[in-house]
Amino acid sequence: MHNRMMITGAGSGLGREIALRWARDGWQLALSDVNEGGLAETLKMVREAGGDGFTMRCDVRDYSQLIAFAQACEEKLGGIDIVVNNAGVASGGFFDELSLEDWEWQIAINLMGVVKGCKAFLPLVQKSKGKIINIASMAALMQAPGMSNYNVAKAGVVALSESLLVELRQAEVGVHVVCPSFFQTNLLDSFRGPTPNVKAQIGKLLESSPITAADIADYIHQQVAKGEFMILPHEEGRMAWKVKQQNPQAIYDEMAMLAEKKRAKSRAL
Ligand SMILES: NC(=O)c1ccc[n+]([C@@H]2O[C@H](COP(=O)([O-])OP(=O)(O)OC[C@H]3O[C@@H](n4cnc5c(N)ncnc54)[C@H](O)[C@@H]3O)[C@@H](O)[C@H]2O)c1
């Protein structure tokens, strides 16, 4: 069998859309989240789209819950072919304002949640010679100002994915990392940060996306089929990443100007 996918954070946003994209190909979905209402809705939609599967409440901060989820995947589906580490939360605030608790919360979910997901599911993907898809962000590559804890967590997800890409090649496990720019989902519901107006600024960026979560899921589906490691769904993100690779200083200068603007806006509010 090569049609079994597990997704964390599948009760909303991108996780749900990834489930629906693969459900349209008739896949079995193992759906987990801390939001059980959202999960039940996703499973219903998956069935309507042509897939099937099961849901399980799982907090990615708790390794024992991920291990129990992996066991459930083995019992109910006989294994897993694609692991999608997608669960994540939003945060923002300038470094001088962020508390260590803000940092620990962000790293525990957005970085260690992915580390734990990879570790708990490694035996299953090794057995199936399957794939791991980690959801990072353009924040990992561009380090926008006023969100250093998010940037660091997501940069860690990219570094982990690169490490696994090379370590797991011999085992024939494929690894992909996805770096979207902002797009509209419920991500801001989870926002944590010292300055509430940063939340409003991020809200505007989410609304401004030219593409939807469903478009991004479609793009991931295409690029995974092509075997692309680093998946950048936004055209603007692909362009920015090219510039940064050729001329990082130009991006640092632009980001420093953006930081000044953001600070001025915070003071004005
Ligand atoms: N929306 C964006 O602009 C954007 C941009 C780049 C990357 N991303 C990333 O995409 C991924 C999906 O986010 P989204 O935009 O669909 O947001 P979302 O809030 O709609 O979905 C995220 C889901 O993760 C779940 N979750 C949160 N904490 C969890 C935990 N500890 N354990 C298990 N589940 C948990 C939430 O309940 C939610 O259902 C995240 O990793 C996010 O960082 C989002």
Side-chain angles (χ1 to χ4, degrees):
M1 261 212 292
H2 286 289
N3 63 351
R4 302 156 303 184
M5 171 181 265
M6 92 74 159
I7 309 175
T8 64
S12 171
L14 182 60
R16 170 176 292 172
E17 293 300 335
I18 292 173
L20 294 178
R21 181 62 194 83
W22 266 265
R24 291 212 296 277
D25 290 345
W27 278 50
Q28 296 290 311
L29 279 309
L31 306 165
S32 71
D33 203 299
V34 287
N35 169 3
E36 288 176 279
L39 273 183
E41 251 173 64
T42 302
L43 182 58
K44 186 167 170 276
M45 293 165 85
V46 157
R47 289 186 172 137
E48 284 162 5
D52 203 353
F54 72 96
T55 66
M56 189 163 163
R57 189 187 189 284
C58 176
D59 186 328
V60 296
R61 284 173 289 192
D62 185 341
Y63 188 57
S64 67
Q65 291 184 25
L66 280 157
I67 290 287
F69 184 37
Q71 272 165 4
C73 289
E74 208 162 14
E75 279 161 26
K76 291 177 197 285
L77 306 178
I80 281 294
D81 303 293
I82 303 187
V83 168
V84 185
N85 290 302
N86 161 80
V89 290
S91 60
F94 282 100
F95 185 73
D96 53 353
E97 300 158 344
L98 287 169
S99 67
L100 288 180
E101 288 74 24
D102 292 332
W103 273 90
E104 275 156 15
W105 174 80
Q106 172 58 229
I107 299 290
I109 301 173
N110 284 13
L111 176 54
M112 287 312 293
V114 179
V115 171
K116 289 173 184 172
C118 288
K119 199 162 174 59
F121 278 82
L122 187 61
L124 293 188
V125 277
Q126 278 178 323
K127 198 167 157 202
S128 64
K129 297 193 193 301
K131 299 181 200 306
I132 297 171
I133 304 175
N134 292 331
I135 308 300
S137 165
M138 275 310 288
L141 307 177
M142 305 307 289
Q143 281 86 36
M147 43 195 278
S148 54
N149 54 350
Y150 187 85
N151 293 342
V152 167
K154 292 299 191 178
V157 173
V158 170
L160 169 70
S161 306
E162 285 185 352
S163 307
L164 293 179
L165 176 75
V166 298
E167 285 190 22
L168 297 178
R169 182 178 289 179
Q170 210 184 5
E172 294 176 60
V173 173
V175 180
H176 306 265
V177 65
V178 184
C179 297
S181 303
F182 295 105
F183 57 97
Q184 188 64 60
T185 61
N186 295 319
L187 189 64
L188 269 196
D189 292 357
S190 65
F191 181 88
R192 173 174 167 152
T195 34
N197 56 314
V198 173
K199 182 173 176 177
Q201 288 171 6
I202 296 178
K204 281 198 187 130
L205 289 169
L206 297 193
E207 279 167 23
S208 70
S209 174
I211 56 176
T212 64
D215 296 331
I216 293 173
D218 247 344
Y219 190 77
I220 296 171
H221 187 269
Q222 261 175 42
Q223 298 300 306
V224 166
K226 281 192 193 161
E228 194 68 42
F229 166 63
M230 192 178 278
I231 301 176
L232 309 186
H234 286 73
E235 170 74 42
E236 167 219 352
R238 293 194 286 276
M239 277 162 37
W241 179 226
K242 232 183 228 168
V243 174
K244 179 149 182 203
Q245 284 173 298
Q246 286 160 2
N247 185 1
Q249 193 60 47
I251 297 290
Y252 300 144
D253 293 344
E254 203 176 299
M255 290 299 180
M257 266 162 31
L258 192 60
E260 261 178 58
K261 263 196 215 159
K262 266 194 172 179
R263 275 215 196 263
K265 249 192 203 163
S266 304
R267 280 192 213 106
L269 284 168

